[in-house]
Amino acid sequence: MSHYEVHLIQFVVDFANTFDPFLDEPESLRTPADLQEFLQQRHIEMSGSFTEIEFMRVRQLRNRLRDIFLRLEISEPVEVQREINSLLGATPVNLQASISKGELIEVKYEIPTTVALVERLAVQTGLGLTLALQQYGTERLKVCAAAPCQEVFIDVSKNKSRRFCGERCANRYNVAHFRERQRSDKD
Ligand SMILES: [Zn+2]
């Protein structure tokens, strides 16, 4: 995978995880300024500041993306395909071939920054999701198993056995189950 593709996939994971039910305040995109910072950190160009409505639409897009992840296991392929195609079709894109010295050929997409932010992000998200599915398959696109956490992650472990988003939840889950076992031993 090229750096560009890795970046697109990472964006999908980061974007989905801007809402984290495990935290006291699950929403990390609370204000348009939060969104602006999130996008700037990921080098996404903006044509200027965006409106409150645009901001709310981006959050809705994020919720749609989370929904795809949360239902991936039970969804029919045709449903996933429909969702992704609806993201990809949000606005027309220009495709550009990019050839660098190490003979790395990439296809990049370009959308003018005059196009509404939510439409540009929809295409970017659809593309990232497609690449993630192509590279890893639905089985490796996971949601953390330690409720109430719902962080999404890509399981790159050898035997597809990773269940938690990270140490935080793995430890929490193990402690809770250890206590449960102790309780049932006493009964
Ligand atoms: Zn977690």
Side-chain angles (χ1 to χ4, degrees):
M1 252 190 316
S2 71
H3 185 73
Y4 178 68
E5 289 169 333
V6 170
H7 174 80
L8 285 173
I9 293 175
Q10 190 57 46
F11 178 83
V12 164
V13 172
D14 291 349
F15 190 33
N17 286 334
T18 56
F19 189 86
D20 183 354
F22 176 73
L23 302 175
D24 290 337
E25 171 53 74
E27 182 60 79
S28 67
L29 301 178
R30 284 185 291 274
T31 65
D34 293 334
L35 175 61
Q36 197 126 18
E37 195 187 325
F38 175 81
L39 297 175
Q40 260 162 9
Q41 283 167 352
R42 285 155 189 84
H43 311 291
I44 291 175
E45 282 180 54
M46 283 164 284
S47 57
S49 57
F50 37 82
T51 63
E52 185 76 23
I53 293 171
E54 270 190 293
F55 166 65
M56 294 310 288
R57 287 183 68 204
V58 170
R59 283 220 308 217
Q60 281 166 6
L61 171 68
R62 190 271 321 272
N63 295 343
R64 259 175 83 190
L65 172 65
R66 288 181 55 76
D67 207 46
I68 296 174
F69 265 98
L70 293 173
R71 294 188 306 129
L72 207 51
E73 247 179 295
I74 53 164
S75 290
E76 292 292 327
V78 65
E79 284 176 54
V80 180
Q81 178 186 304
R82 191 168 48 226
E83 281 293 330
I84 291 179
N85 281 335
S86 133
L87 294 171
L88 287 172
T91 186
V93 298
N94 304 318
L95 292 178
Q96 301 267 307
S98 162
I99 303 177
S100 52
K101 264 198 174 158
E103 283 184 42
L104 182 66
I105 303 173
E106 292 181 315
V107 178
K108 295 184 174 183
Y109 80 95
E110 270 182 8
I111 304 172
T113 53
T114 48
V115 171
L117 178 67
V118 69
E119 290 172 0
R120 289 192 286 132
L121 291 180
V123 173
Q124 167 141 356
T125 302
L127 203 51
L129 207 49
T130 305
L131 290 167
L133 286 167
Q134 194 177 38
Q135 182 73 18
Y136 302 105
T138 47
E139 286 173 314
R140 288 182 182 275
L141 271 58
K142 293 185 178 176
V143 178
C144 182
C149 181
Q150 289 182 331
E151 284 230 7
V152 310
F153 63 93
I154 294 174
D155 177 4
V156 291
S157 66
K158 241 183 191 168
N159 47 5
K160 306 181 192 174
S161 60
R162 192 176 148 197
R163 299 180 60 203
F164 308 106
C165 65
E167 290 285 310
R168 168 184 98 177
C169 287
N171 292 337
R172 195 164 54 80
Y173 185 88
N174 288 334
V175 167
H177 278 249
F178 177 70
R179 290 204 184 116
E180 221 167 78
R181 271 201 305 277
Q182 274 189 324
R183 259 198 304 274
S184 63
D185 284 351
K186 274 181 203 156
D187 291 343

